Each structure stands twice: as structure tokens, then as C-alpha cells.
Amino acid sequence: MITVRRASPQRRRPQKSITPMRVLVLGAGVTGVTTAWYLARAGFEVSVVDREPQAALETSRANGGQISISHPEPWANPGAPLTALRWLGREDAPLLFRPHADSAQWRWAFAFLRECLPGRTRRNTAAIASLAVHSGRMLRALRADTGLAYDHLERGILHLFFTPAEFAHARGRVDELAEYGILARACDADECVALEPALAGARPQIAGGLYAPGDESGDACRFTQALARRAEEAGVRFHYDTTITGLSCTHGAIDAVAVRDAQGRAGALIADAYVVCLGSYGRALVAPLGETLPIYPVKGYSITAPVADPARAPSVSITDESRRIVCSRLGDRLRVAGTAELNGFDTRINATRCQAILDWVEARFPGAADLTRAEPWTGLRPATPGNIPLIGRSRISRLWYNTGHGTLGWTLACGSASALADLMSGRRPPVEHFPFLAGR
Ligand SMILES: Cc1cc2nc3c(=O)[nH]c(=O)nc-3n(C[C@H](O)[C@H](O)[C@H](O)COP(=O)(O)OP(=O)(O)OC[C@H]3O[C@@H](n4cnc5c(N)ncnc54)[C@H](O)[C@@H]3O)c2cc1C
């Protein structure tokens, strides 16, 4: 049964009023749940609504697991158009564009090309780096506060390069990362193997690596579900199995969210403020209000397989920069993820693209995992052209955004959510260089 709750007009500012302002968070992925957590901590009365039976069952379900602070450079960078051309027409290409008769797809693709200009890439990289560093701090603090367990490892990320030219570019990245306060160092192939002995078999192919000791890995789904349980214990109310069908707007302000429960019964949820954290699906929901969110789904794949031989499975998280594949050890499982495909909202599993990931595991870490028991998965990254998430106030009264985190939603979750809670509390988030929305 869907509850209809009335907002009291005096419930506006959490610090001044006796009863806190009520916020409804739309979406219970990693972004929505962290948003609910930080808002509740800031004194708001929070509810969350999601169509799934529990948290993190869509894009936050089986991602690459990396807290990748050392990779703030977006996919839209000066090298991207050439890379995409190189892979053109290959079904197993790391980057794949499947054209649709959909103006949103073409608009997004052209905007992506514009973000590849060097000046824009530099600006976007600085903004993401600032937010990522803040996010890393917030994640560590949250872990210290809550003791959440989610198969996390603090062994850093090793970015691997397989051609001398790519490795040469990586050396330049060390200085750039240092400017953002991110520690990383270039390593030759022997150092890479010393850091991660499971790479011994791949040693002859490795041109070099870039090691970021401050990065982490962990299961975003376990994290989100555990945090949702803590939030519930702290008073956050979750409406699962509840699909949002529309936003009702009167005189330029949202006054209700129309929903349908699992039995198909219609209802409405009413709060004093609403935060959109709906992944790739937020754009269509706000479009009837005249809001144009530059978010398009960028499909990716992962496989999760039981570790067969712990000595052969890496525990340092790995990024293969040539193939755009990442690999994280999640307890007794190996998660390997990658590929980007512009293919609308298609969530079917493509066997060729999954096989490319399985082949990668077999080539780089032979015998590490039982690939006969690998679980394939696909998810839609809610991506903006420059990978800059939308965080802050919309043009519509009572409507806020924390969405569009693209390739880095797990990395940026805690920083984005705490920043949004700051903004909604009337405080400036402690993040330099980030273009927070201010009513746009
Ligand atoms: C293959 C792959 C690998 C990745 N690897 C990494 C990585 O290593 N590190 C990293 O930082 N990031 C990674 N990402 C990105 C990261 O997973 C995403 O950015 C992040 O999960 C997005 O979270 P979200 O909460 O915004 O969206 P979602 O997790 O999709 O949450 C949106 C929620 O909204 C709900 N919803 C949508 N529409 C409705 C509706 N109408 N009514 C009710 N509920 C609705 C959905 O059920 C869902 O729970 C990866 C992504 C992919 C696909």
C-alpha cells in the first residue's frame, strides 16, 4: 500500500524548525542510498523510493568495484575519437556506438565529442579529481563510523599499459595527479609484478604501470545494501517495489511524486523536497517539466567468478588501460568489468562482449577463477558527456539532483551525497573546482 503524506508548510529548514524538513530520495542505487544517509545525518527526515525489491539492484549491482580516485580523466578526452575509430565495426570493441533513430543519442554523442577538446578535458578532470579526493575522505570516515563490511581492500589500483607509447603518456599523468593531491607513481614491469605477483605470467606483455596506493576496491552492491539497512535503523523509510510514474509540478514547484506499487495500485508520495538519483532513467522523468538532463546510458558488462586459485588472482585492483577493463578481488570472488556501448536502454547480455571479458581473464590471470561459474551482468552507466555529475538545485522549486555519475558512481558516491546534504543545509561543500548546480 502506498502512503500519501502531507507536508506541513512550516517544515522548511532543518536547523531552525523543530520538525525537520522531509526529503524524498528517488532511487536506491549507491547514489540514492548514500544521499539518504548523509541527509539523515544532517537532520532531514528522509524517505527513499525504488522500483526494485531492495537497494542496488540496477547499475550499482555488479560494477568494477574500484574506488578509482587516480582516474579522474573522463572518457571524453583528446585521444577518445581516435580510439573509437580504431575499434570501429568490431563487436568486441571496448568502445562501441550502435546508432539509433534517437535524437538524444546523437545529441549526447556530439556533446561527448565537444568534451574531447583539450581545454574541456582539463577542466572536467580537475572537477572530478576534486570531488573524488573529497569522496575518498568521506568513504573512509563513513567506514570508520559504521564499520560496514563489503569485501573492501585498501591495496591501491595498478593501471597497466601494454605499449611503450601508452606508458609514456602515463608518466605525464603522475605529475598531473600530484597537482590534484593524488599520489601515484610510474612502475616498470618488474615493479608491477612485485606489487601484484599474480601478474607474473603477463610480465612479458607489460610495458609499465601507474600505481595509486590510496585507491581502494569493494563490492558497491554489498556496501549499498548494508548502508541502506543502517539508514533504516536510523529512521530512513524505504518504499521498495514502488515505481515512480511521474512528478507533479504546480506553479513551478514539485508537489508530489506519482507512484505505483507492486500490485499496480496508484498513489502519491509527498515531501518538502525531492532528490533525483534515478541513474539513466531520471532524464525521461524530468523531461515533461522542461528539464533537459544531459544523461545517456552507457552500457557496460561485468563477470563475477569464484576464485579458483588465490595465488593467481590479484588482490591489488587492476585497470588494463588498453582494453578499458578493470578487475577487483571481492573476497573469494573475482569481478572483471569493462566496455562501453552507446546502445540506448538495451539491457540484454551480448555473448560476444562477455566473452571478450572472459578471454581477458584467461589471458592475464590464467587459472585464477572458475570461469565456468562466471555470472555475467550488464548495467547502464548514467553518463553525462564530460562525466561531470549533476549535483545541486534544479530550476524547479523543491527539486534537487544527485545523478549522472557515469563511469565513477561508486568512487564519487560518498563525496557527492555529502556535498548535496551540505548544499541542502545551506552550506558550501568543501570541494574546490566542482561546478555544483545552483538552480542553473
Ligand atoms: C560495467 C560497469 C563497471 C563500472 N565500474 C565502476 C567502478 O569500478 N568504479 C566506479 O566508481 N563506478 C563504476 N561504474 C559506475 C557505477 O556503477 C555507476 O555510476 C553507479 O552505480 C550509478 O549509481 P546510481 O545510484 O546513480 O544509479 P543506479 O544504481 O542505476 O540507481 C538508480 C535507481 O533508480 C531506480 N529507478 C529508476 N527508475 C525508477 C522509477 N521509474 N521508479 C522507481 N525507481 C526507479 C532503479 O531501480 C535504481 O535502483 C561501473 C558501471 C558499469 C556499468
Side-chain angles (χ1 to χ4, degrees), residues 5-19:
R5 305 203 294 160
R6 304 263 159 230
S8 350
Q10 71 270 27
R11 291 174 177 181
R12 282 287 173 268
R13 305 225 80 85
Q15 295 96 336
K16 289 180 190 154
S17 56
I18 295 160
T19 41

Side-chain angles (χ1 to χ4, degrees), residues 394-409:
S394 81
R395 272 187 290 248
I396 294 170
S397 183
R398 299 189 198 144
L399 186 66
W400 298 74
Y401 294 125
N402 185 14
T403 189
H405 295 75
T407 58
L408 287 178

Side-chain angles (χ1 to χ4, degrees), residues 26-32 49-52 56-60 62-68 242-245 277-281 285 298-302 326 337-339 377 379-382 403-412:
L26 315 184
V30 67
T31 310
V49 54
D50 199 288
R51 60 186 170 195
E52 299 287 352
L57 291 189
E58 297 205 0
T59 310
S60 306
N63 68 22
Q66 293 192 326
I67 297 295
S68 184
T242 304
T243 300
I244 301 159
T245 54
C277 304
L278 291 167
S280 296
Y281 299 89
L285 202 76
V298 177
K299 186 175 183 178
Y301 286 87
S302 75
V326 306
T339 86
W377 172 84
L380 302 176
R381 301 175 183 92
T403 189
H405 295 75
T407 58
L408 287 178
W410 169 215
T411 304
L412 300 177

Side-chain angles (χ1 to χ4, degrees), residues 226-291:
L227 189 65
R229 283 192 293 275
R230 291 294 178 93
E232 206 160 6
E233 285 160 20
V236 174
R237 182 159 180 210
F238 284 83
H239 303 268
Y240 288 122
D241 284 317
T242 304
T243 300
I244 301 159
T245 54
L247 302 180
S248 159
C249 184
T250 311
H251 305 307
I254 301 294
D255 50 18
V257 169
V259 291
R260 204 180 47 237
D261 70 10
Q263 287 72 43
R265 289 173 299 199
L269 294 171
I270 297 178
D272 303 311
Y274 305 83
V275 187
V276 174
C277 304
L278 291 167
S280 296
Y281 299 89
R283 175 168 58 91
L285 202 76
V286 301
L289 310 174
E291 289 279 275

